[in-house]
Amino acid sequence: MIYLYVFLYMLTLGFIIDRYLKVENVDNRELVLKEKVVYIPMIILLMLPAFLLAALRSDVGTDYTVYLTKQIPEVLNGWNGEVEPLYRLIIKISGFMNNLQLIFGITHFIILLFIILAIKEKHESFFLSIVVLFGTGFFNYSLNIMRQSIAMAIFVYAIQFIDNNKKKYVILIILAVLFHKSALLYLFIPFIKDISIRFIPAIVSLVVTLLIRNPIRSLLMWLTAKIGLYNQYFGSIIDFQKTGWVFLVINSLILITMLIASTLNHLNHNKLAQRYIFFQYITTFVTVLSSILPNYERLMYMFMIVQIISIPFFYRTMKFKYKLILFLVVSSLYITLFYRLFIVSNIGDTFPYQSIFQ
């Protein structure tokens, strides 16, 4: 129930921020004053419960024990293992202060900071972004893939710089790589950022990929064996070879919703709208290949996280009569996803919640 309480609290504050704290038609002095006195403190209060939930947890999430028994002791004993430099620094600082629980607090402070900055800079709805943050399961999943979640959060913030400040985008992605090497994939985004996704070609390509996924798996196994990367995961304990139907169906419906919203709002030539659709297409494409990709959720969430800012964007651009429909459709999908995967199946073992005080 603690997740529900935190979600409802954040949803309420998100609504208040959206409704009453948006600054319009004021001079810079009033804007700065309002940010310092009201806006920023309210955002801190908004994210505080989620931060405390992550920072004070005990044995919540499969990686909690893995970190305490493997990664953290290895780093503190001078063996870097597979832990990237900046996360090693967090571990060493916590070890120096003789408080390993700090690792979990610092981790989610960084994650939530970059997510909040992304929402704030894009001037999107905090209310809807909170719905997506929890509805996609990203918050719960971040209790496991902690280093990679930091990288994902940095990417969401960095998206705004792809066009107008490529240098800053690259610097931010390099920062992300120093937390998790999977962020190297984000360095290719500027080269493919202007790909447009159209309804019929998108659906056809996804269906065809689903039908030929087994030959694709054979090709991937051969290719990864040749280059010596990722091949160890095929046939391992995380290679379930089962289709993630819940993620596949829901992400497909969200992609379709975005494509329809783009058409209804005449956004087929809007760069940002098309980029968000492209990221959603990648997300859906990965779920189509879920049965052949070991631990596919990690790759999927690398782009699914963009929904935190893309769903509010499409909502904002829609005509009033369509907004309620979009909200109801998306909310229903997220409720289904969270209930089926995180409450019933308990992926990532984030239920039940217990704190360090229990």
Side-chain angles (χ1 to χ4, degrees):
M1 289 296 290
I2 187 66
Y3 295 109
L4 178 61
Y5 295 147
V6 169
F7 173 66
L8 293 176
Y9 167 89
M10 294 176 68
L11 213 56
T12 303
L13 257 65
F15 175 80
I16 292 172
I17 292 172
D18 290 345
R19 181 67 178 84
Y20 299 106
L21 299 182
K22 285 192 174 180
V23 181
E24 296 176 359
N25 301 320
V26 297
D27 59 30
N28 288 335
R29 181 180 297 180
E30 186 177 344
L31 173 61
V32 171
L33 181 63
K34 192 165 187 177
E35 281 220 342
K36 288 183 177 179
V37 176
V38 182
Y39 192 64
I40 292 177
M42 282 294 285
I43 290 177
I44 292 172
L45 288 175
L46 171 71
M47 301 310 292
L48 186 60
F51 166 73
L52 293 175
L53 201 65
L56 300 179
R57 74 189 191 272
S58 174
D59 198 23
V60 175
T62 51
D63 279 4
Y64 183 91
T65 303
V66 173
Y67 270 78
L68 284 179
T69 58
K70 187 177 186 296
Q71 279 95 337
I72 294 173
E74 288 176 352
V75 171
L76 292 178
N77 288 320
W79 185 52
N80 297 333
E82 297 181 352
V83 180
E84 290 77 8
L86 286 183
Y87 208 79
R88 291 203 301 268
L89 180 62
I90 292 175
I91 292 174
K92 289 177 180 178
I93 290 173
S94 301
F96 177 77
M97 298 182 71
N98 198 31
N99 186 352
L100 298 184
Q101 195 67 29
L102 274 176
I103 296 169
F104 304 104
I106 295 172
T107 295
H108 270 78
F109 173 79
I110 299 172
I111 292 171
L112 294 170
L113 173 65
F114 278 102
I115 288 176
I116 283 295
L117 287 174
I119 300 168
K120 180 177 178 294
E121 292 302 317
K122 298 302 293 183
H123 304 288
E124 301 297 0
S125 165
F126 278 96
F127 179 88
L128 281 176
S129 293
I130 296 303
V131 170
V132 181
L133 175 65
F134 281 88
T136 57
F138 175 76
F139 177 76
N140 286 66
Y141 209 67
S142 71
L143 300 177
N144 286 294
I145 54 171
M146 297 185 294
R147 292 168 12 242
Q148 192 171 3
S149 293
I150 293 177
M152 295 176 194
I154 294 173
F155 169 64
V156 171
Y157 174 68
I159 287 173
Q160 62 187 301
F161 303 112
I162 292 177
D163 289 317
N164 57 15
N165 195 337
K166 289 185 176 64
K167 182 178 179 181
K168 190 169 185 178
Y169 174 82
V170 171
I171 291 172
L172 284 167
I173 297 307
I174 290 173
L175 176 67
V177 170
L178 294 175
F179 281 106
H180 199 274
K181 55 183 175 290
S182 66
L184 285 168
L185 284 174
Y186 294 137
L187 290 175
F188 294 99
I189 295 299
F191 301 102
I192 57 176
K193 61 184 176 65
D194 293 324
I195 294 178
S196 293
I197 304 297
R198 294 292 177 259
F199 191 94
I200 298 302
I203 301 303
V204 170
S205 63
L206 291 172
V207 171
V208 170
T209 303
L210 183 65
L211 294 174
I212 64 170
R213 61 190 186 279
N214 289 330
I216 293 176
R217 176 181 170 88
S218 299
L219 177 62
L220 287 174
M221 292 178 67
W222 174 82
L223 185 61
T224 54
K226 285 291 182 182
I227 61 178
L229 291 173
Y230 197 74
N231 60 305
Q232 71 271 23
Y233 297 112
F234 286 101
S236 69
I237 194 172
I238 61 173
D239 187 11
F240 298 114
Q241 298 187 49
K242 292 182 179 179
T243 301
W245 286 110
V246 176
F247 277 128
L248 173 56
V249 171
I250 288 176
N251 276 302
S252 297
L253 291 174
I254 289 175
L255 174 62
I256 292 170
T257 301
M258 286 185 178
L259 288 165
I260 293 173
S262 177
T263 301
L264 290 175
N265 293 287
H266 309 290
L267 297 174
N268 289 334
H269 299 290
N270 181 292
K271 271 190 174 183
L272 188 56
Q274 294 309 306
R275 189 161 302 151
Y276 286 154
I277 291 172
F278 175 60
F279 289 142
Q280 183 56 33
Y281 178 81
I282 296 176
T283 303
T284 309
F285 188 82
V286 172
T287 62
V288 166
L289 297 177
S290 56
S291 66
I292 70 168
L293 292 175
N295 214 7
Y296 76 94
E297 293 100 333
R298 284 178 173 263
L299 181 58
M300 177 196 70
Y301 270 116
M302 288 183 70
F303 298 96
M304 190 175 179
I305 190 178
V306 179
Q307 292 175 20
I308 291 174
I309 53 176
S310 65
I311 294 295
F313 166 81
F314 281 106
Y315 179 84
R316 174 170 55 83
T317 57
M318 295 193 82
K319 295 178 181 178
F320 180 77
K321 62 181 179 180
Y322 296 124
K323 284 187 174 183
L324 180 59
I325 297 173
L326 176 64
F327 177 75
L328 291 175
V329 168
V330 170
S331 297
S332 299
L333 293 175
Y334 287 144
I335 290 171
T336 302
L337 186 154
F338 193 86
Y339 176 76
R340 288 290 303 274
L341 295 181
F342 289 90
I343 295 179
V344 176
S345 299
N346 196 20
I347 63 172
D349 291 329
T350 57
F351 284 88
Y353 179 86
Q354 60 182 14
S355 75
I356 58 175
F357 303 110
Q358 291 175 288

